[in-house]
Amino acid sequence: MSIDVPSPIDLRQMEDAREWASTAMAKRPWRTEFFSMFASAIARDGTNVPCRVLELGSGPGFLAEHLLNALPFVSYVALDFSGAMHELAAERLCNLANRVQFVERSFREPAWSNGLGQFQHVVTNQAVHELRHKRHAPLLHTQAREVLATGGSYLVCDHFAGEGGMSNDLLYMTVDEQKAALLAAGFASVEQLLLKGGLVLHHAI
């Protein structure tokens, strides 16, 4: 039986959360290119119609800030297991936070989606590996598909294992494994939108 990979930090602790947030953009400044691609995909799919977006593993609000600024027709549900991260996100978002519902839950728990309703888009950025083993990914993707409204889309960005990426192939999937996990979850079509700097973004419908 495969054993989950322990995390070296506890993002529920404010000190760890603040340290992660303070270095994330400096370590990978190309994250902004991914944020722009998320926004473009949502705008393309939604054609500026009011819609609900759910972010899984929303962290300190980097992606939320970009999407809420770029897409004024979006209302947002930010789901994260860390109250500390939500606190940092609320500080970052300032007046934008009135369009955000902060939900403190772990997407590793089976009932994480209870009561959240339906969404036109589910997004996640650098969070799927926080399942702590890649074998859990198809279930998460299945649960994400179940909260999507008809015609909705799932945008998944994470690190990948292999050349140009990460070395831990228990925690991280290869690019092909990421696509296969989305197809296994029942998505009919999976498109790679961007691959850069050890990250890959897929669009699934």
Side-chain angles (χ1 to χ4, degrees), residues 51-91:
C51 66
R52 300 182 77 217
V53 173
L54 167 65
E55 182 178 358
L56 301 177
S58 51
F62 292 125
L63 178 59
E65 180 182 33
H66 187 99
L67 295 183
L68 290 164
N69 276 316
L71 306 169
F73 53 88
V74 159
S75 62
Y76 212 84
V77 174
L79 185 146
D80 202 285
F81 80 131
S82 169
M85 282 296 193
H86 280 329
E87 186 176 333
L88 294 177
E91 292 174 4

Side-chain angles (χ1 to χ4, degrees), residues 73-170:
F73 53 88
V74 159
S75 62
Y76 212 84
V77 174
L79 185 146
D80 202 285
F81 80 131
S82 169
M85 282 296 193
H86 280 329
E87 186 176 333
L88 294 177
E91 292 174 4
R92 176 177 303 280
L93 296 174
C94 298
N95 292 338
L96 294 170
N98 62 12
R99 291 162 56 198
V100 181
Q101 177 188 356
F102 294 100
V103 177
E104 189 175 331
R105 294 181 193 171
S106 170
F107 57 62
R108 298 181 67 186
E109 298 299 325
W112 65 260
S113 62
N114 285 1
L116 295 181
Q118 296 282 291
F119 299 87
Q120 283 69 44
H121 307 280
V122 178
V123 301
T124 182
N125 183 60
Q126 283 182 256
V128 171
H129 67 273
E130 291 300 341
L131 292 166
R132 307 317 300 173
H133 197 288
K134 66 183 182 182
R135 74 182 186 281
H136 301 303
L139 175 58
L140 177 67
H141 297 335
T142 299
Q143 292 170 315
R145 183 174 58 81
E146 290 171 350
V147 299
L148 280 173
T150 301
S153 69
Y154 186 32
L155 289 155
V156 184
C157 177
D158 203 13
H159 304 282
F160 60 86
E163 185 176 354
M166 312 299 280
S167 60
N168 189 329
D169 61 2
L170 297 179

Side-chain angles (χ1 to χ4, degrees), residues 40-48 120-121 151-155 203-205:
S40 295
I42 291 172
R44 179 189 68 188
D45 292 343
T47 58
N48 292 344
Q120 283 69 44
H121 307 280
S153 69
Y154 186 32
L155 289 155
H203 174 272
I205 55 175

